[in-house]
Amino acid sequence: MNLKAAGVGFRYGQGPWVLRDMDLEVEPGAVVGLSGPSGRGKTTFARVLAGYETPLEGKVTLDEGPLPRGGYSPVQLVFQHPERAVNPRWRLSDTLTEGWDVDESLLGALGVDPAWLDRYPNELSGGELQRFCVARALSPQTRFLIADEMTTMLDAVTQAQLWRVVMDAVKERGLGAVVISHEKPLIDKVCDRVVYMS
Amino acid sequence: MNDAIARPDSERETDPMLDVRNLSVSFMQYAFGLHQRVFTPIIGLDAEVYPGEVLAIVGSSGSGKSLLAHAVLGILPSNARVRGEIVFRGETLSPERQAALRGREIALVPQSVNFLDPLMHVDKQVRLGVRNGRAEQSQREVFERYHLSEKAGRFFPFQLSGGMARRVLVASAVIAGASLVIADEPTPGLHPEVVKETLGHLRELADEGKAVVLITHDIDAALDIADRIAVFYAGTTVEIAPVADFLGDGTALKHPYTRALWEALPSNGFKPIAGSQPPLDALPEGCLFEPRCCCATGECKDSRPSARRRRRRMVRCLNPLDAGRGEV
């Protein structure tokens, strides 16, 4: 039932290796922190874990098998910059329902105002957009969430709000999570254990 | 409790570098063919920053922090309407004056890496900030200052890591020698040491006599380098207080939203409050924070508080919290 990276290596084109021999195993209901200085490949690793990139060495497996290549992925990635993760020409209602029919209670818990649904991304703030990205990623089919600096751009109240929703999913349905963050107080608060990339 | 700290009247009454008074910004939007709707995301913003000072602006996202920066620089989208007054060095900022000053006297360290030209090498982009003299030389110096290698200069923005991109953005703002630097979330996602260094450079600029506005969600960053902190909520300034008020147990803070923000910090309890900022087409008639406030009274439902100022402090609340006590 685990999300597992074994001996993962990755580089872009013929460039230098960004990742080498990376191992990580996350079980359902576990929250694993990933920390380290910038430029050490944390974001690349997040993309590999979520299936956006195929590792050149080693492999990423879910339940001992490969990540599914099509359809809704059970491993969802929430990016640091929500404005780069939504289609700028779509209304937010379309972005929100791209993957699943998001229920209203989740939107309520995330503090999404129904009035935002008609708007385009450039009319919302990063914090407002990120609530949509979290809602979009938390389908019942999602088994693992990779949060790459998910609340780095947000104010403290919104940060606490989004993490309460994610941590509820961790507790209630055994969502596993990988948390990439530079903020030690946040890592200390939500993670069971921390992997340091140096 | 801060009154106990001896603060002789050293707050010389110099003129502010930037003085924003009762600023509002509206956007016109087309809905259903030719029907227009107007949104007003900024309702009443006040902020002033003096030479030699770092004013941090913190607040919920969507509270108007970035729009304030864009309004000061005159780079709002064309469907925006601005009311209120923005005064720079004692003179009102007109669109013409903004165009002449931005990038020279007033510089922005932007919030998003999207502000970089994706198709231009970063060393060339940074050189664009120098309009006279030795652009290449200045760029090399500023790269050295921010620990950017010559090789990094030949990168396109997408090749930069988050931390490197951030340093490039800081470098491109600082290179022109502006006297007002507005840094819009200059440090998110950076390693603590890099954050410290970047903030240190902003503090340095203030100590050189420049005025620095640090827009951030990160109160810890603000506490490190700011002199005063302005807290924004739903397009209004709810409180401006010296950094000392934010230290300790937070009970020196007078506005309930400021207190909630303090309590939501991971190191202070990680306690969220429900809901979100009010939707712009259904703003409460009274105080904008009333629907989420711990301590609202009937009066708060009916009337909007105005800003009460005392020296360089401000609070916009009908029932400000007492120092040292949790409730009114």
Side-chain angles (χ1 to χ4, degrees):
Chain A
M1 301 297 280
N2 295 354
L3 175 67
K4 191 172 169 183
V8 164
F10 186 83
R11 57 177 171 174
Y12 294 95
Q14 291 304 305
W17 287 92
V18 183
L19 294 171
R20 218 70 202 271
D21 292 324
M22 269 303 292
D23 299 313
L24 186 76
E25 186 160 6
V26 189
E27 53 278 14
V31 182
V32 180
L34 201 57
S35 191
S38 54
R40 297 300 196 280
K42 296 190 298 296
T43 290
T44 301
F45 191 45
R47 293 179 61 85
V48 171
L49 281 175
Y52 284 86
E53 310 286 354
T54 308
L56 300 173
E57 297 175 350
K59 57 184 177 177
V60 173
T61 56
L62 181 68
D63 305 343
E64 309 292 327
L67 293 175
R69 301 305 308 172
Y72 187 95
S73 173
V75 182
Q76 288 287 315
L77 174 56
V78 179
F79 296 85
Q80 175 176 356
H81 300 289
E83 70 278 11
R84 293 199 296 179
V86 297
N87 189 325
R89 290 165 188 256
W90 286 9
R91 288 183 195 274
L92 266 308
S93 52
D94 295 330
T95 293
L96 185 65
T97 53
E98 194 182 358
W100 68 294
D101 251 339
V102 181
D103 55 86
E104 282 188 13
S105 65
L106 180 62
L107 294 183
L110 287 167
V112 170
D113 194 283
W116 300 344
L117 292 166
D118 285 341
R119 300 230 232 152
Y120 288 97
N122 68 351
E123 292 172 300
L124 292 183
S125 73
E128 288 163 351
L129 285 178
Q130 194 66 307
R131 297 171 202 246
F132 284 95
C133 293
V134 172
R136 180 173 65 169
L138 281 184
S139 138
Q141 292 178 60
T142 303
R143 308 255 311 278
F144 291 92
L145 184 79
I146 319 293
D148 184 3
E149 302 282 4
M150 181 176 86
T151 52
T152 301
M153 308 293 285
L154 309 186
D155 65 281
V157 173
T158 310
Q159 167 169 277
Q161 223 171 0
L162 299 195
W163 279 110
R164 176 157 293 183
V165 168
V166 170
M167 295 313 282
D168 282 351
V170 167
K171 279 187 214 104
E172 285 161 19
R173 56 186 172 92
L175 180 80
V178 176
V179 179
I180 299 176
S181 176
H182 286 93
E183 288 174 57
K184 196 169 178 302
L186 174 67
I187 294 250
D188 289 348
K189 205 80 186 181
V190 301
C191 297
D192 307 312
R193 59 180 195 269
V194 184
V195 174
Y196 193 81
M197 287 176 79
S198 55
Chain B
M1 79 184 198
N2 299 292
D3 294 342
I5 300 171
R7 260 179 195 267
D9 280 323
S10 59
E11 291 174 357
R12 286 158 301 171
E13 281 314 308
T14 48
D15 290 330
M17 183 78 79
L18 176 72
D19 192 354
V20 177
R21 291 177 206 157
N22 204 24
L23 184 77
S24 81
V25 178
S26 312
F27 289 99
M28 207 178 63
Q29 194 189 46
Y30 280 98
F32 315 118
L34 293 175
H35 290 270
Q36 294 176 352
R37 280 192 293 187
V38 175
F39 290 103
T40 307
I42 289 189
I43 297 151
L45 279 192
D46 291 271
E48 44 174 21
V49 57
Y50 293 83
E53 176 185 58
V54 177
L55 174 75
I57 293 176
V58 302
S60 106
S61 25
S63 62
K65 303 188 305 257
S66 295
L67 286 176
L68 170 71
H70 292 199
V72 170
L73 287 150
I75 53 171
L76 289 166
S78 58
N79 64 334
R81 276 190 207 154
V82 180
R83 287 188 200 82
E85 209 178 354
I86 305 173
V87 177
F88 177 71
R89 285 188 188 279
E91 265 182 75
T92 301
L93 266 183
S94 61
E96 296 74 30
R97 200 156 164 251
Q98 283 172 323
L101 294 179
R102 68 172 167 250
R104 299 181 186 198
E105 275 293 280
I106 307 175
L108 175 72
V109 181
Q111 176 173 20
S112 160
V113 287
N114 283 351
F115 282 70
L116 291 175
D117 184 335
L119 297 177
M120 194 190 254
H121 286 137
V122 295
D123 55 359
K124 283 207 176 136
Q125 299 198 43
V126 171
R127 274 176 225 161
L128 293 176
V130 186
R131 307 205 192 177
N132 46 19
R134 304 165 303 163
E136 208 174 321
Q137 175 71 22
S138 306
Q139 172 255 316
R140 286 220 182 90
E141 284 167 14
V142 83
F143 264 45
E144 203 164 305
R145 183 169 174 185
Y146 293 107
H147 304 300
L148 290 160
S149 66
E150 209 166 308
K151 202 173 137 211
R154 304 307 296 168
F155 281 173
F156 290 107
F158 80 92
Q159 293 171 299
L160 300 170
S161 72
M164 278 159 79
R166 208 46 62 171
R167 277 179 269 155
V168 168
L169 294 173
V170 175
S172 59
V174 163
I175 197 167
S179 50
L180 172 64
V181 175
I182 303 174
D184 190 356
E185 297 285 6
T187 60
L190 298 186
H191 189 256
E193 281 165 32
V194 186
V195 170
K196 213 173 162 195
E197 185 195 312
T198 309
L199 294 176
H201 285 300
L202 293 176
R203 181 71 249 176
E204 236 172 66
L205 293 170
D207 292 343
E208 287 163 16
K210 301 176 194 309
V212 177
V213 177
L214 169 65
I215 295 173
T216 181
H217 68 283
D218 184 352
I219 293 184
D220 291 328
L223 292 176
D224 270 356
I225 64 152
D227 298 290
R228 290 183 304 144
I229 297 181
V231 179
F232 283 16
Y233 183 80
T236 56
T237 313
V238 296
E239 184 163 1
I240 301 176
V243 156
D245 286 10
F246 288 79
L247 301 173
D249 59 3
T251 52
L253 300 169
K254 293 184 177 56
H255 196 285
Y257 175 68
T258 317
R259 205 69 82 85
L261 194 62
W262 191 90
E263 286 173 1
L265 292 172
S267 44
N268 293 346
F270 212 33
K271 188 180 138 199
I273 52 173
S276 61
Q277 288 178 84
L280 299 167
D281 51 1
L283 290 175
E285 277 186 26
C287 172
L288 298 175
F289 187 60
E290 184 270 333
R292 302 173 83 188
C293 186
C294 64
C295 316
T297 63
E299 196 188 4
C300 303
K301 260 194 161 62
D302 301 329
S303 56
R304 283 200 187 153
S306 52
R308 286 184 224 169
R309 287 164 196 280
R310 196 173 139 256
R311 290 212 189 134
R312 292 188 185 180
R313 289 168 195 259
M314 188 278 263
V315 63
R316 192 192 295 268
C317 180
L318 294 171
N319 301 302
L321 301 170
D322 280 346
R325 282 168 57 195
E327 308 256 311
V328 182

